[in-house]
Amino acid sequence: MNLLFPPFSPLRSLSPNSNFPPNSSLLSSSYNPSFLPHFRRCRCSRALSEPEGLNGAVDSFTKYSGYLFENGESEAESLGEYDHLRIASIYRRRPFLILRRLLQIGTTLGRWFALRYLDNMLGRSDQMFKIRAAELRSILVELGPAFIKIAQAVSARPDVIPPAYLDELSLLQDRIAPFSTELAFSTIEEELGLPIYTFFSDISPEPIAAASLGQVYQARLRRSGKVVAVKVQRPGVQAAISLDIFIMRSLAGYIRKAAKFNTDLQAVVDEWASSLFREMDYNAEARNGLRFRELYGKLQDVFIPEMYLDLTSRHVLIMEWVEGKKLAEVKDLHLVEVGVYCSLTQLLDYGFYHADPHPGNLLRTFDGQLAYLDFGMMGEFRQELREAFIEACLHLVNQDFDALAKDFVTLGLLPPTAQKSEVTKALTGVFQNAVSKGVRNISFGDLSGNLGRTMYKFKFQIPSYFSLVIRSLAVLEGLAIANNPNYKVLSSSYPWIARKVLTDSSPQLRSTLQALLYKDGTFRIDRLESLLTESLRSRSEESLAKRELKEQDSSVVSKQLLSFTLSERGEFVRDVLLEEFTKGLEALGIATFDSVASSLPFTNSFTTVFQMDEEYIRNLRNFRRLLQLLSGLERNEDPNVAVREAIVDATQKDQKTSYRELSYIFNELSSIQDPLLLISAVLELPPEMQLQFFNLPADIAGRLASRIVARTIRSAALQVIE
């Protein structure tokens, strides 16, 4: 629910000695606690089933479907958590209620689709577009909370929903007709067990915002004077939602059988329904908000309101007041970046994420922070699934489709019995063209391609947990596209993923990085270079705070790379770089010796020990690439250099190849920036990093000595054998 309010809302003073007649307006009368027992006697069922009761204050849904609330104290209304078996047992005993609801849904939506079809037939679709969009919103409001929630899920996708429908559906986020204030105050007293003036010294006479599940009042706590939001749930809403879920789940089962879908559609409905039931438990929402605040409240430019657990019940929630504007309305690109950073931290760092970040739940506060609201619908992304998701992204970008097929099995998208070789071939055909454009140009539209046919052929399935993850990312992408039509979520996410895999201490991700960088013992420096380059492009918390949106020059890149490799989180990458740098130095020494020794007499005994081969030439080329990478220089090679090198290697022997590599390396060394810049960068680092840096030469020397000794012993052993 959107807690978006004007900075000064009129609060009505509450006192135990004030009065007002039963039918007077709350806007002009004082509050009389002695009148509350009258409301308590009304109960939810009678108050909501009589449109003329309670000053006629009945919301559209109740007026249209009031019979759904006739059993406000029914079993479905009293369920503590989602249980599809109990819900089924409740409503199977009420076949006429189910039939009536089915007819209501079918005739209402059927009439709308018939009108749309008629518009197309008469060629007036464009003229009637806005009218039909408004009619659809009205229908969804009448059909109730379950349908509103479904509409909210797609209302943040400007790339999917036509603008007229998007404008109308966005109104479902916080402009639902409210229910009776008298009934809301009665609910507060019943839930908290004391007169309302006991808790609040002031309260707004009417709800400030209303949503599908409840509505919000602004109040001032009597004990502290702090302004708070008081969220009150619509009475009887759980019973109504339970019936719609029962119908949806039943239809999902029939549809799966008829269309022979591989995905368990009922499990997807169950996952959504479980999250919706948790959202209707305000005690759970308050605990979620507290946990969310503890995990992410300290991030730069992120604001999480405080929860008042001691004043919260299942149907009443008290939380800190938040003032601001919708993020979608202010077009703040910086806060979109903050949102991307925070969402990726939620999904891939801690696994506890906001599963309903629609525009009504994301605000720009008046001091420029991104505020998260409404913590009823949250998701948990388990550690092994987070790691598999990261691995899948890495394998997709690096076009390792065989490993990607295995990732899909781990994620539950493919059954373990799937033929991996056939899946790999199919995924290559689907994704290769899309990813060949480069990670910064990959769009989900490109990835979708022929994926539908591939998913059907190999019995892909959408795990129930995955639906919330995809929904969360889709809403985030929709918000970003509204600010930047060229936004690509993978392009923005991959730098974060690259930094994650380079720094995470998880054994699984370390193993993935090792497999990514080495193939059959051969170091693939291009992959390390890509990961490091992308990771430096990621939005760190510090850069977000400084709003550094410009491209960084090579000296800054070198400084960042140096800081990262010398830090504790860069230990694994530092070890890889040191090992490959040592190999390069060894190859450089041998190539230099080889070029000098070839012109000197009496060197045969040495050349047998120090002789260039294909491995050393590869190490020499990697060394040159490392120099470029560590110096922060852009690679200005001719794109045909690799082709020419391959031709030369095929026609000429190792000696001439090594000469060419030596010339490249010496040219590279002459191009490296002033060493004083490197020293100044080191001196800006913390003392422990400086110590790490000055210990590097000794570390490299030890590694180099070990390699030389090992090569000498190996060569001597080979001579003895011969």
Side-chain angles (χ1 to χ4, degrees):
M1 179 186 297
N2 184 358
L3 304 184
L4 172 62
F5 315 115
F8 299 104
S9 298
L11 299 180
R12 181 162 49 80
S13 177
L14 301 181
S15 69
N17 297 318
S18 52
N19 296 276
F20 69 89
N23 293 320
S24 64
S25 170
L26 288 173
L27 288 171
S28 59
S29 302
S30 300
Y31 176 79
N32 181 3
S34 64
F35 188 54
L36 283 172
H38 167 74
F39 296 123
R40 282 195 288 271
R41 288 194 300 272
C42 288
R43 300 306 309 159
C44 306
S45 58
R46 184 164 61 86
L48 287 171
S49 62
E50 297 177 3
E52 70 278 7
L54 291 175
N55 301 328
V58 179
D59 60 275
S60 301
F61 173 55
T62 304
K63 184 177 181 180
Y64 182 73
S65 307
Y67 69 91
L68 292 175
F69 298 112
E70 290 172 2
N71 295 302
E73 292 298 311
S74 69
E75 294 178 69
E77 183 66 18
S78 60
L79 286 176
E81 59 185 17
Y82 175 67
D83 185 339
H84 71 88
L85 294 176
R86 285 193 61 188
I87 290 174
S89 67
I90 292 169
Y91 287 108
R92 279 174 183 160
R93 300 195 300 267
R94 297 173 172 82
F96 292 107
L97 185 64
I98 297 171
L99 180 60
R100 182 176 178 180
R101 183 60 171 165
L102 280 170
L103 288 173
Q104 191 176 59
I105 296 170
T107 55
T108 306
L109 290 177
R111 183 174 65 253
W112 184 84
F113 280 111
L115 289 172
R116 285 286 294 145
Y117 179 76
L118 185 61
D119 290 341
N120 290 332
M121 293 292 292
L122 298 177
R124 61 182 189 185
S125 296
D126 293 339
Q127 301 96 300
M128 300 298 293
F129 204 74
K130 290 186 177 180
I131 295 175
R132 298 294 180 234
E135 288 176 350
L136 179 60
R137 178 178 65 83
S138 178
I139 287 171
L140 292 172
V141 170
E142 291 177 348
L143 289 178
F147 289 86
I148 292 172
K149 282 293 179 183
I150 293 172
Q152 286 176 344
V154 298
S155 65
R157 294 306 308 246
D159 55 330
V160 176
I161 305 298
Y165 284 85
L166 190 67
D167 293 341
E168 290 294 334
L169 293 182
S170 65
L171 298 179
L172 297 174
Q173 292 160 6
D174 57 12
R175 298 189 189 179
I176 309 299
F179 62 93
S180 157
T181 288
E182 292 95 329
L183 186 57
F185 286 178
S186 174
T187 301
I188 294 172
E189 287 213 336
E190 288 185 11
E191 290 288 315
L192 301 185
L194 289 171
I196 196 170
Y197 66 82
T198 306
F199 307 104
F200 310 117
S201 57
D202 304 283
I203 192 167
S204 57
E206 295 294 335
I208 306 298
S212 55
L213 301 184
Q215 60 197 37
V216 175
Y217 295 84
Q218 187 187 47
R220 190 181 305 279
L221 289 178
R222 184 174 293 279
R223 68 188 186 188
S224 64
K226 290 186 177 180
V227 178
V228 295
V230 182
K231 185 159 73 167
V232 188
Q233 190 171 117
R234 293 179 183 271
V237 71
Q238 184 168 294
I241 286 178
S242 296
L243 176 58
D244 286 338
I245 288 172
F246 171 74
I247 292 172
M248 291 178 191
R249 195 177 190 281
S250 300
L251 291 176
Y254 292 129
I255 292 171
R256 185 189 182 192
K257 290 179 181 178
K260 297 181 180 179
F261 286 142
N262 300 310
T263 297
D264 187 348
L265 297 180
Q266 288 185 322
V268 173
V269 173
D270 286 339
E271 184 73 18
W272 173 73
S274 296
S275 66
L276 193 52
F277 262 67
R278 289 193 295 270
E279 189 174 4
M280 289 186 287
D281 183 353
Y282 289 172
N283 277 318
E285 180 176 348
R287 291 191 296 269
N288 288 338
L290 181 62
R291 183 182 175 190
F292 199 85
R293 180 183 172 94
E294 290 174 349
L295 290 176
Y296 314 115
K298 295 181 181 178
L299 295 180
Q300 288 287 348
D301 291 334
V302 173
F303 178 80
I304 314 297
E306 181 182 356
M307 299 289 161
Y308 293 87
L309 293 176
D310 60 324
L311 296 179
T312 295
S313 68
R314 183 171 177 81
H315 300 111
V316 175
L317 171 66
I318 312 296
M319 61 186 292
E320 184 178 358
W321 184 265
V322 182
E323 294 177 0
K325 292 185 177 180
K326 286 184 184 179
L327 183 60
E329 293 177 351
V330 295
K331 307 293 183 183
D332 191 323
L333 292 176
H334 167 66
L335 286 190
V336 170
E337 290 281 351
V338 172
V340 171
Y341 177 82
C342 185
S343 293
L344 291 172
T345 302
Q346 295 169 41
L347 281 170
L348 301 180
D349 242 354
Y350 297 98
F352 182 67
Y353 62 95
H354 199 302
D356 191 27
H358 66 69
N361 289 334
L362 294 173
L363 308 181
R364 183 191 187 278
T365 64
F366 292 136
D367 59 353
Q369 291 185 299
L370 177 65
Y372 281 81
L373 304 174
D374 198 345
F375 306 99
M377 190 176 289
M378 311 297 289
E380 291 275 3
F381 205 14
R382 299 198 313 271
Q383 176 72 21
E384 63 271 20
L385 295 175
R386 300 203 301 268
E387 293 175 353
F389 185 81
I390 292 172
E391 291 172 347
C393 292
L394 290 169
H395 293 146
L396 173 65
V397 169
N398 288 283
Q399 303 186 50
D400 191 347
F401 298 113
D402 185 56
L404 183 61
K406 296 177 182 177
D407 295 332
F408 283 177
V409 173
T410 304
L411 288 168
L413 298 169
L414 271 175
T417 56
Q419 294 293 326
K420 305 297 189 302
S421 59
E422 292 296 320
V423 172
T424 299
K425 184 178 178 181
L427 292 177
T428 302
V430 171
F431 292 140
Q432 194 166 40
N433 289 335
V435 298
S436 63
K437 301 176 183 178
V439 65
R440 302 187 191 187
N441 297 306
I442 298 176
S443 69
F444 277 117
D446 294 332
L447 293 180
S448 61
N450 300 317
L451 187 59
R453 288 193 293 273
T454 303
M455 292 178 70
Y456 182 80
K457 178 180 179 181
F458 294 101
K459 300 186 184 301
F460 270 68
Q461 52 198 13
I462 306 299
S464 55
Y465 80 88
F466 209 64
S467 60
L468 286 182
V469 173
I470 295 301
R471 182 179 184 275
S472 178
L473 288 174
V475 171
L476 177 67
E477 185 181 49
L479 281 172
I481 288 174
N483 287 273
N484 177 12
N486 297 319
Y487 177 85
K488 295 177 176 63
V489 69
L490 187 58
S491 173
S492 184
S493 304
Y494 187 70
W496 196 97
I497 291 172
R499 184 164 58 89
K500 177 76 173 174
V501 79
L502 287 172
T503 60
D504 201 284
S505 60
S506 160
Q508 180 62 35
L509 290 183
R510 286 285 170 88
S511 175
T512 299
L513 181 59
Q514 185 78 18
L516 198 68
L517 298 181
Y518 290 92
K519 183 177 182 180
D520 299 327
T522 301
F523 179 55
R524 297 186 280 190
I525 189 172
D526 56 324
R527 294 195 170 185
L528 178 62
E529 186 177 19
S530 173
L531 285 171
L532 286 170
T533 302
E534 288 297 326
S535 69
L536 293 178
R537 192 167 66 89
S538 66
R539 310 296 295 155
S540 67
E541 194 175 346
E542 292 77 12
S543 66
L544 285 170
K546 298 176 183 177
R547 303 182 181 228
E548 295 173 352
L549 301 177
K550 297 181 180 179
E551 291 293 326
Q552 298 164 325
D553 58 33
S554 59
S555 62
V556 175
V557 171
S558 298
K559 189 179 297 183
Q560 286 185 341
L561 183 59
L562 186 64
S563 177
F564 165 67
T565 53
L566 293 175
S567 67
E568 183 179 353
R569 59 195 176 93
E571 181 181 1
F572 184 80
V573 175
R574 180 171 69 247
D575 189 65
V576 170
L577 288 172
L578 287 176
E579 186 64 24
E580 296 304 322
F581 196 82
T582 301
K583 291 179 183 178
L585 282 177
E586 181 189 24
L588 177 64
I590 292 174
T592 304
F593 176 82
D594 198 33
S595 63
V596 173
S598 62
S599 61
L600 297 177
F602 313 114
T603 57
N604 290 337
S605 59
F606 292 100
T607 55
T608 57
V609 178
F610 303 106
Q611 186 175 11
M612 292 297 292
D613 55 23
E614 291 184 5
E615 178 185 352
Y616 281 112
I617 292 173
R618 283 197 304 271
N619 291 341
L620 205 58
R621 287 176 178 167
N622 287 340
F623 184 65
R624 174 161 57 96
R625 295 275 294 277
L626 281 173
L627 288 176
Q628 292 173 332
L629 181 63
L630 295 174
S631 64
L633 295 175
E634 295 290 333
R635 295 178 60 202
N636 297 316
E637 293 181 355
D638 186 327
N640 296 316
V641 163
V643 177
R644 291 203 304 268
E645 287 179 350
I647 295 174
V648 170
D649 289 348
T651 57
Q652 299 181 12
K653 296 301 179 183
D654 295 340
Q655 188 176 24
K656 290 187 177 180
T657 304
S658 64
Y659 291 164
R660 186 179 67 256
E661 289 297 331
L662 278 175
S663 66
Y664 286 154
I665 289 172
F666 288 130
N667 286 335
E668 203 70 60
L669 288 170
S670 65
S671 301
I672 291 180
Q673 304 168 38
D674 188 343
L676 290 177
L677 293 177
L678 178 63
I679 298 300
S680 65
V682 171
L683 293 177
E684 293 178 12
L685 298 174
E688 60 273 13
M689 289 188 184
Q690 294 181 26
L691 183 61
Q692 281 278 6
F693 178 80
F694 291 116
N695 285 337
L696 292 181
D699 191 348
I700 293 173
R703 292 170 185 257
L704 186 59
S706 298
R707 292 189 64 84
I708 293 174
V709 170
R711 167 167 278 274
T712 303
I713 294 174
R714 185 168 64 251
S715 298
L718 289 174
Q719 288 182 358
V720 170
I721 293 174
E722 293 174 356

